[in-house]
């Protein structure tokens, strides 16, 4: 008891865990998203841009007593991302419903982890209400307003303080009213009651997909409660499930152990907090120091600019005064040419002199001055230029330098993203810039072929750089087939280059990439197969049709694979394509088939329940070893339940022999298929490592197509780069 009580955390100390990441207030009717984060019911509605009331989960009330009123919205990165989604071309995506005045979004980014959440056609009704979190929030509210009592809902004024709350009646009572409304010997006496509360939740959690069914199992794949109908024929048909009691016990034990572990590490946490506080103080001090130094640098720049400004303005002023003096002197000279003023008036007075000797003595110099003025009048030219073109200041270069002014230092190297990069005969290489880094000018990707017997001193062929890339990815062309390439990338900022990223290697496939999409015409069963809008993924659901077919097997009928093929055929050459099979898929056949064989399968399906039937040219049947050498116009490999099943007669060295352990391999994340039409041979690869899993002879007398067969629940995605190439040609 003492140990358990010592682990109890005061309810007031957990407020940060009870805040909605969107509205930044306490949760109100929180809903659990598929990624396990919780968001207020109202906030989800606002994210979905709905203008009408949506149905609430599990038949529970949408408005409860004590619910807060309208709340102010706080912008968040998720809302900005949703705005971009709404402004982009995604309005034509499956997430929008056409034909309505108000478009409806069913996909939005989770505000907690930023992963896209797709609610599908059922929208919010597919989400569970987080009653546990709701109860904790209610207890927090009660602790925060301990002085405010919950009043009885049945008392006549004046109301008494409630002592109990009935979870069946969804009301609070004082002692007298509770006895009156729940008399002994009546069904109401069996109602469940708790302490005073304003949080009334259903006694039983119902399935949001099958409203009349209680949840009694837990899906370990989707990490959510499900009912028996979900497991029987719904979206969880082939998922691993466990009983609710077992899941409760396991999860509670894990959570308890995790809590005890954290509490046992309290001293370590406090030490780390102390270290973080030291870093905070150090960051504050160093940040202020850098601010002061930056301010001093700019002050020096300002002083330099002020000095240059003063000197240049003084030069302009001196030139202006000098020109004005010259022009004013010229004005005075020309003023003297006017009658009765200046030089002309003086000359007129000289002409009045009658003494010849005195006249000659004065007139000679005067005549020279008048002749000079007369010549100046004939060839008028200002003594100074009023323009100041030589003082025009061009500061464009300096302005550019100032705009590019930034802190020095070498940028951090980017990291090549292996999950998004794809390399075939052309390579799509993606990278991520270092976090908390300043903007870079561009990136340069370099690559080289490994294992080349040249430039031995450098360890292989020379690095070949791409042109500067102003984004997070680039495409490298003309890569050689069946070769190993190494890639690295670095950033550039202000002519400073970062160190190179860690080198990553990719193995190119043995043939050029073959681009195609799924064919929605030839043999496609829209009743059992669901094709994506872009035709780059196909899904098979184990629904009611599958169950009915399974029942007919007992009466001698059959159920068959649902086939789908590529929309482009192969009649020559060598080709490679890749795809991904979902790990939960029950049974998927992948490979190639001729046009004649496809017509036979589509129009004459066979019984898959027969032990001697198999589309894999006989593997897992009694006839395989005897007919394997016969070249067939098809080859399909079996994939399912997270495994790849290699035929017994495989000639691949990696799986030679009849040992079961060698024949059943873990399913690769990506599967590649290589068809050599002229050689009549097909190969299956682990597309990540380019390791050959299986190969065999195939009869290529007709047009060969990429072929897929699905049974039960399963999903196949074409490689993104292959689908993108095919879409670009359409």
């Amino acid at each position: 008891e003492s140990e358990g009580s010592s682990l109890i955390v005061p309810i007031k100390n957990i407020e940060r865990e009870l805040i909605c990441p969107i509205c930044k207030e306490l949760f109100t009717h929180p809903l659990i998203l598929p990624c396990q984060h919780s968001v207020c019911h109202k906030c989800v509605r606002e994210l979905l841009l709905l203008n009408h009331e949506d149905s609430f989960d599990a038949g529970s009330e949408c408005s409860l007593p004590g619910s807060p009123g309208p709340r102010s919205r706080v912008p968040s990165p998720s809302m900005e991302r949703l705005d971009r989604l709404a402004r982009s071309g995604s309005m034509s995506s499956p997430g929008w419903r056409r034909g309505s005045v108000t478009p409806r979004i069913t996909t939005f980014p989770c505000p907690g982890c930023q992963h896209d959440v797709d609610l599908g056609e059922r929208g919010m009704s597919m989400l569970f209400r987080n009653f546990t979190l709701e109860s904790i929030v209610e207890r927090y509210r009660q602790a925060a307003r301990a002085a405010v009592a919950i009043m009885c809902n049945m008392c006549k004024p004046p109301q008494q303080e409630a002592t109990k709350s009935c979870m069946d009646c969804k009301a609070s009572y004082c002692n007298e009213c509770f006895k009156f409304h729940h008399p002994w010997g009546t069904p109401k006496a069996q109602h469940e009651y708790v302490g005073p509360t304003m949080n009334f939740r259903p006694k039983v959690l119902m399935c949001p997909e099958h409203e009349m069914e209680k949840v009694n199992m837990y899906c370990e794949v989707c990490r959510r409660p499900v009912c028996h109908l979900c497991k029987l024929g719904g979206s969880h048909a082939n998922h691993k499930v466990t009983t609710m009691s077992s899941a409760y016990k396991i999860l509670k034990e894990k959570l308890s152990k995790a809590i005890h572990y954290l509490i046992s590490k309290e001293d370590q946490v406090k030490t780390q907090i102390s270290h973080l506080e030291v870093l905070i103080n150090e960051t504050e001090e160093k940040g202020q120091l850098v601010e002061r130094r930056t301010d001093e640098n700019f002050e020096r720049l300002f002083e330099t600019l002020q000095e240059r400004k003063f000197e240049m303005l003084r030069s302009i002023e001196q030139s202006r005064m000098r020109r004005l003096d010259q022009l004013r002197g010229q004005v005075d000279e020309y003023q003297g040419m006017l009658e009765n003023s200046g030089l002309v008036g003086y000359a007129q007075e000289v002409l009045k002199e009658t003494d010849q000797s005195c006249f000659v003595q004065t007139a000679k110099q005067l005549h020279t001055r008048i002749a000079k003025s007369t010549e100046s009048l004939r060839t008028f030219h200002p003594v100074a230029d009023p323009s100041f073109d030589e003082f025009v200041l061009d500061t464009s270069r300096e302005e550019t330098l100032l705009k590019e002014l930034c802190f020095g230092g070498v940028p951090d190297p980017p990291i090549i993203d292996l999950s998004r990069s794809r390399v075939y005969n052309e390579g799509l290489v993606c990278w991520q810039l270092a976090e908390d880094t300043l903007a870079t000018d561009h990136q340069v990707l370099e690559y080289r072929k490994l294992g080349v017997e040249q430039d031995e001193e450098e360890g292989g062929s020379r690095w070949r750089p791409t042109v500067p890339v102003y984004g997070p990815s680039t495409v490298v062309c003309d890569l050689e087939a069946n070769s190993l390439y190494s890639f690295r990338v670095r950033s550039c900022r202000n002519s400073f280059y970062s160190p190179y990223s860690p080198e990553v290697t990719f193995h190119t496939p043995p043939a050029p990439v073959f681009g195609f999409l799924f064919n929605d015409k030839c043999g496609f069963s829209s009743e059992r197969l669901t094709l994506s809008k872009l035709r780059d993924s196909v899904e098979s659901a184990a629904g009611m049709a599958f169950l009915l077919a399974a029942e007919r097997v007992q009466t001698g009928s059959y159920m068959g694979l649902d086939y789908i093929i590529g929309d482009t055929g192969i009649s020559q050459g060598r080709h490679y394509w890749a795809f991904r099979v979902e790990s939960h898929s029950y049974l998927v056949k992948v490979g190639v088939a001729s046009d004649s064989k496809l017509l036979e399968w589509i129009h004459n399906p066979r019984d898959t329940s027969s032990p001697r039937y198999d589309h894999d040219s006989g593997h897992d049947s009694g006839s395989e070893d005897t007919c394997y050498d016969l070249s067939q116009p098809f080859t399909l490999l079996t994939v399912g339940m997270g495994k790849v099943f290699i035929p017994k007669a495989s000639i691949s060295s990696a799986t030679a022999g009849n040992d079961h352990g060698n024949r059943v391999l873990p399913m690769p994340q990506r599967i590649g298929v290589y068809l050599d039409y002229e050689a009549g041979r097909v190969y299956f690869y682990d597309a990540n490592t380019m390791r050959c899993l299986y190969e065999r002879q195939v009869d290529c007398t007709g047009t060969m197509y990429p072929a897929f067969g699905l049974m039960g629940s399963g999903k196949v995605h074409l490689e993104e780069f292959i689908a993108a190439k095919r879409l670009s040609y359409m």
Side-chain angles (χ1 to χ4, degrees), residues 523-534:
F524 175 71
S525 173
S526 58
E527 296 180 357
R528 295 181 297 274
L529 296 180
T530 302
L531 198 59
S532 65
K533 184 177 181 180
L534 297 178

Side-chain angles (χ1 to χ4, degrees), residues 391-654:
F391 290 98
V392 174
L393 184 62
D394 182 10
T395 61
S396 57
R397 183 172 62 90
E398 288 75 11
E399 289 176 3
T400 302
L401 291 175
L402 288 173
K403 289 178 181 178
E404 294 177 351
L405 184 65
C406 63
F407 298 103
V410 178
D412 294 329
I415 302 297
I416 295 180
D417 190 346
L418 295 175
S419 63
R420 295 167 51 219
S421 300
R422 298 288 183 266
V423 174
Y424 306 102
N425 53 305
E426 295 181 354
L428 173 65
V429 183
C430 307
W431 55 81
Q432 294 179 343
L433 297 178
E435 296 182 358
D436 301 328
T437 184
L438 298 173
T440 57
D441 297 334
H442 62 268
Q443 285 75 41
V444 176
L445 177 72
E446 297 183 359
Y447 64 99
R448 65 176 178 176
K449 183 180 178 182
L450 300 180
V452 179
E453 296 180 358
Q454 61 179 359
D455 298 332
E456 294 181 357
E457 295 181 357
E458 301 182 11
S461 62
R462 295 181 181 273
W463 287 100
R464 291 190 286 175
T466 63
V467 296
V469 181
Y470 302 93
S473 64
T474 188
V475 174
V476 181
C477 302
D478 301 326
L479 300 178
E480 296 183 20
N482 199 24
S483 301
L484 194 63
Y485 282 87
S486 183
F487 295 85
R488 66 185 185 183
V489 64
R490 61 176 176 170
S491 298
C492 178
R493 184 198 307 130
N494 299 328
S495 300
F496 288 97
Y497 282 92
S498 72
Y500 285 104
S501 66
E503 295 182 23
V504 298
T505 57
F506 291 96
H507 197 298
T508 59
V513 62
F514 178 62
F516 67 91
L517 298 171
F518 286 119
N519 192 328
D520 59 353
K521 301 293 192 297
C522 181
F524 175 71
S525 173
S526 58
E527 296 180 357
R528 295 181 297 274
L529 296 180
T530 302
L531 198 59
S532 65
K533 184 177 181 180
L534 297 178
R535 296 194 288 121
D536 59 351
S537 67
V538 63
E539 182 175 11
S540 171
M544 190 59 67
F546 185 80
L547 293 177
L548 292 176
E551 183 181 10
R552 287 196 296 269
V553 170
Q554 300 176 1
T555 62
S557 184
Y558 61 86
M559 59 178 178
L561 290 166
D562 293 314
Y563 287 100
I564 188 168
I565 63 174
D567 61 355
T568 305
I570 299 172
S571 57
Q572 62 179 354
R574 298 181 299 117
H575 304 276
Y576 175 89
W577 60 94
F579 49 87
R580 175 166 53 89
V581 179
E582 289 287 355
S583 58
H584 66 78
S585 300
Y586 175 66
L587 190 152
V588 179
K589 300 274 191 174
V590 297
V592 295
S594 66
D595 47 4
S596 59
K597 196 65 180 179
L598 287 169
L599 290 176
E600 177 185 341
W601 288 344
I602 293 171
H603 297 292
N604 300 292
R606 299 167 67 181
D607 185 2
T608 60
S609 65
S610 170
R612 301 187 63 83
Y613 164 72
D614 187 20
H615 285 306
D616 266 13
S617 69
H619 80 263
D620 286 341
S621 71
S623 61
E624 179 181 25
D625 295 330
T626 59
C627 72
Y628 178 81
D629 292 333
L630 299 177
S631 182
Q632 301 285 338
F634 66 94
T635 293
L636 295 176
L637 194 67
T638 303
V639 180
M641 303 302 290
K643 305 292 183 183
V644 173
F645 300 91
I646 305 300
K648 294 179 181 179
S650 169
I651 64 172
S652 172
S653 59

Side-chain angles (χ1 to χ4, degrees), residues 5-271:
S5 61
S6 65
L7 301 181
I8 297 177
V9 180
I11 190 70
K12 293 183 179 180
N13 294 348
I14 64 173
E15 179 178 359
R16 61 185 299 175
E17 301 294 331
L18 310 180
I19 300 297
C20 174
I22 297 180
C23 63
K24 307 301 181 185
E25 296 185 4
L26 292 176
F27 282 107
T28 303
H29 310 320
L31 302 178
I32 304 177
L33 302 180
C35 57
Q36 305 303 304
H37 291 101
S38 295
V39 181
C40 290
H41 175 269
K42 180 180 179 181
C43 294
V44 175
R45 283 175 47 206
E46 293 175 355
L47 280 177
L48 295 177
L49 302 179
L50 290 176
N51 292 332
H52 61 276
E53 292 294 329
D54 202 343
S55 58
F56 201 66
D57 173 49
S60 56
E61 289 79 357
C62 183
S63 178
L64 296 179
S67 299
R71 301 165 293 176
S72 61
R73 290 301 309 279
V74 178
S76 67
S78 298
M79 290 301 295
E80 295 177 0
R81 186 176 173 193
L82 184 65
D83 292 339
R84 294 196 299 270
L85 178 66
R87 290 194 299 267
S88 67
S90 59
M91 293 181 64
S92 61
S93 65
W96 290 86
R97 288 186 176 180
R98 301 183 180 273
S100 61
V101 177
T102 304
R104 178 179 181 180
I105 284 183
T106 59
T107 302
F108 64 92
C110 170
C113 61
Q114 297 301 309
H115 285 86
D116 287 336
V117 176
D118 188 359
L119 300 182
E121 290 296 323
R122 294 180 61 86
M124 294 171 60
S125 62
M126 289 299 295
L127 299 178
F128 278 105
R129 189 167 156 189
N130 195 338
F131 291 111
T132 302
L133 177 57
E134 198 168 333
S135 300
I136 297 174
V137 171
E138 177 60 25
R139 292 201 297 272
Y140 174 84
R141 292 182 187 274
Q142 292 182 10
R145 59 174 185 240
V148 180
I150 298 177
M151 307 307 293
C152 177
N153 300 132
M154 302 300 172
C155 283
K156 295 180 180 179
Q159 289 180 313
Q160 300 294 318
E161 183 177 343
T163 59
K164 298 179 180 66
S165 292
C166 179
M167 302 304 292
D168 294 274
C169 300
K170 294 181 174 56
S172 298
Y173 302 87
C174 63
N175 284 332
E176 295 300 324
C177 291
F178 186 81
K179 293 178 181 178
F180 178 77
H181 290 279
H182 298 78
W184 289 103
T186 65
K188 285 191 174 183
Q190 305 300 320
H191 283 189
E192 177 186 359
Y193 64 90
V194 295
T197 183
M198 301 183 69
N199 178 36
F200 301 99
R201 66 183 190 183
K203 298 175 65 176
V204 179
L205 196 62
M206 308 300 288
C207 177
E209 187 173 355
H210 308 95
E211 290 84 353
M212 303 303 295
E213 299 295 329
K214 302 176 183 178
V215 294
N216 53 7
M217 291 180 285
Y218 181 78
C219 178
E220 296 184 1
V221 176
C222 302
R223 296 184 299 173
R224 62 176 292 168
V226 296
C227 69
H228 69 283
L229 291 182
C230 293
K231 174 60 179 172
L232 182 61
S235 57
H236 307 269
N238 292 307
H239 293 186
K240 184 179 180 181
V241 299
T242 184
T243 62
M244 191 63 71
S245 59
S246 176
Y248 170 81
K249 181 179 179 181
I250 293 174
L251 292 176
K252 189 168 186 178
E253 182 179 355
K254 288 183 178 180
L255 183 59
S256 299
K257 288 182 178 179
I259 293 173
H260 281 280
Y261 175 80
L262 290 177
I263 294 176
S264 67
K265 298 295 181 180
E266 185 173 356
D267 293 338
Q268 180 179 346
V269 173
K270 290 181 179 179
T271 301

Side-chain angles (χ1 to χ4, degrees), residues 289-488:
L289 177 61
V290 172
E291 287 179 359
R292 288 196 300 270
R293 290 177 177 174
T294 303
D295 185 68
E296 293 171 358
N297 290 333
F298 275 97
E299 287 297 332
R300 285 196 294 271
L301 285 176
F302 294 154
E303 292 175 2
T304 303
L305 287 174
Q306 287 292 346
E307 291 176 1
R308 295 298 299 155
K309 175 183 176 182
F310 176 76
E311 293 175 359
M312 299 183 78
L313 290 178
R314 185 176 60 182
S315 299
I316 295 173
E317 179 66 16
Q318 291 175 350
S319 177
R320 183 176 65 86
M321 296 304 298
R322 184 177 65 255
R323 297 183 190 192
L324 287 176
D325 290 342
Q326 293 173 348
L327 290 173
R328 286 186 180 122
Q330 192 175 17
V331 169
D332 292 340
E333 181 181 347
Y334 275 77
Q335 285 286 352
M337 299 180 191
L338 299 178
E339 186 178 1
N340 299 323
S341 64
L343 181 62
V344 175
Y346 175 65
Q348 289 175 344
E349 293 297 327
V350 171
L351 287 175
K352 295 178 182 180
E353 178 63 48
T354 57
D355 189 302
Q356 294 181 356
S357 299
C358 292
F359 176 81
V360 171
Q361 181 183 15
T362 305
K364 180 60 178 175
Q365 182 183 9
L366 180 61
H367 180 266
T368 301
R369 291 178 61 192
I370 290 177
K372 185 178 180 180
S373 298
T374 303
E375 182 65 24
S376 174
L377 184 64
R378 290 196 188 102
T379 60
F380 174 76
H381 183 74
V383 295
D385 187 358
S387 68
F388 286 78
D389 293 342
E390 67 270 25
F391 290 98
V392 174
L393 184 62
D394 182 10
T395 61
S396 57
R397 183 172 62 90
E398 288 75 11
E399 289 176 3
T400 302
L401 291 175
L402 288 173
K403 289 178 181 178
E404 294 177 351
L405 184 65
C406 63
F407 298 103
V410 178
D412 294 329
I415 302 297
I416 295 180
D417 190 346
L418 295 175
S419 63
R420 295 167 51 219
S421 300
R422 298 288 183 266
V423 174
Y424 306 102
N425 53 305
E426 295 181 354
L428 173 65
V429 183
C430 307
W431 55 81
Q432 294 179 343
L433 297 178
E435 296 182 358
D436 301 328
T437 184
L438 298 173
T440 57
D441 297 334
H442 62 268
Q443 285 75 41
V444 176
L445 177 72
E446 297 183 359
Y447 64 99
R448 65 176 178 176
K449 183 180 178 182
L450 300 180
V452 179
E453 296 180 358
Q454 61 179 359
D455 298 332
E456 294 181 357
E457 295 181 357
E458 301 182 11
S461 62
R462 295 181 181 273
W463 287 100
R464 291 190 286 175
T466 63
V467 296
V469 181
Y470 302 93
S473 64
T474 188
V475 174
V476 181
C477 302
D478 301 326
L479 300 178
E480 296 183 20
N482 199 24
S483 301
L484 194 63
Y485 282 87
S486 183
F487 295 85
R488 66 185 185 183

